[in-house]
Amino acid sequence: MASRNSAKQILSRLFHARPSLSLNIAAKKNYTRLAELLMARGRSIGLIIGCGNGGSGIDRLTMTQGLHLIYSDVRRTSKTDLLCDGQQLPFANDAFDIVVLQGVLEHVLDPLRVVEEITRVLKNDGL
């Protein structure tokens, strides 16, 4: 009986130690790499779609020198610069060096349309 309780305790600890499904364990590394690529380019302009109140690891990108970011979302938050829908972006073609989405596509009605809009506003050599 003691070993059964020990096994339950171990399983319980493992269950509670696992990362949350909402934890993006690659974000910090990816944003750091993006920041390095952008610094090599010099001055850049970027769009964040669905900024919410930030996002895991995004501070690595926001601190990049020479990068001006526009924060957009469908609702006003403390970070939002522009209220707009990713399915119809109010920007000219080839306007941005980088476009960032984090946890957005699963919330939109037409994810393919959002990707088409990103492709449209992103420069040919954009990230």
Side-chain angles (χ1 to χ4, degrees), residues 82-110:
L82 175 70
L83 293 174
C84 71
D85 187 334
Q87 298 173 115
Q88 191 172 3
L89 297 171
F91 301 104
N93 297 349
D94 305 317
F96 296 99
D97 298 291
I98 183 170
V99 176
V100 176
L101 294 96
Q102 184 173 319
V104 171
L105 291 179
E106 68 271 21
H107 297 287
V108 298
L109 293 174
D110 190 352

Side-chain angles (χ1 to χ4, degrees), residues 104-124:
V104 171
L105 291 179
E106 68 271 21
H107 297 287
V108 298
L109 293 174
D110 190 352
L112 180 58
R113 178 72 185 136
V114 174
V115 173
E116 289 170 348
E117 280 292 277
I118 291 167
T119 303
R120 181 183 66 77
V121 302
L122 191 61
K123 292 179 181 176
N124 286 335

Side-chain angles (χ1 to χ4, degrees), residues 4-72:
R4 180 179 273 172
N5 285 338
S6 299
K8 283 184 179 181
Q9 288 175 336
I10 291 170
L11 286 173
S12 176
R13 286 184 183 157
L14 287 173
F15 179 79
H16 292 346
R18 79 191 192 301
S20 161
L21 291 177
S22 65
L23 178 63
N24 187 339
I25 58 175
K28 288 181 183 178
K29 178 181 172 187
N30 291 339
Y31 283 128
T32 300
R33 179 70 179 131
L34 282 172
E36 291 168 358
L37 291 169
L38 288 166
M39 285 191 295
R41 290 179 176 216
R43 294 191 49 83
S44 300
I45 184 166
L47 174 65
I48 299 181
I49 300 174
C51 66
N53 287 315
S56 178
I58 201 163
D59 57 324
R60 310 231 182 200
L61 188 62
T62 60
M63 295 184 303
T64 303
Q65 289 185 340
L67 174 62
H68 174 75
L69 290 170
I70 298 172
Y71 294 83
S72 70

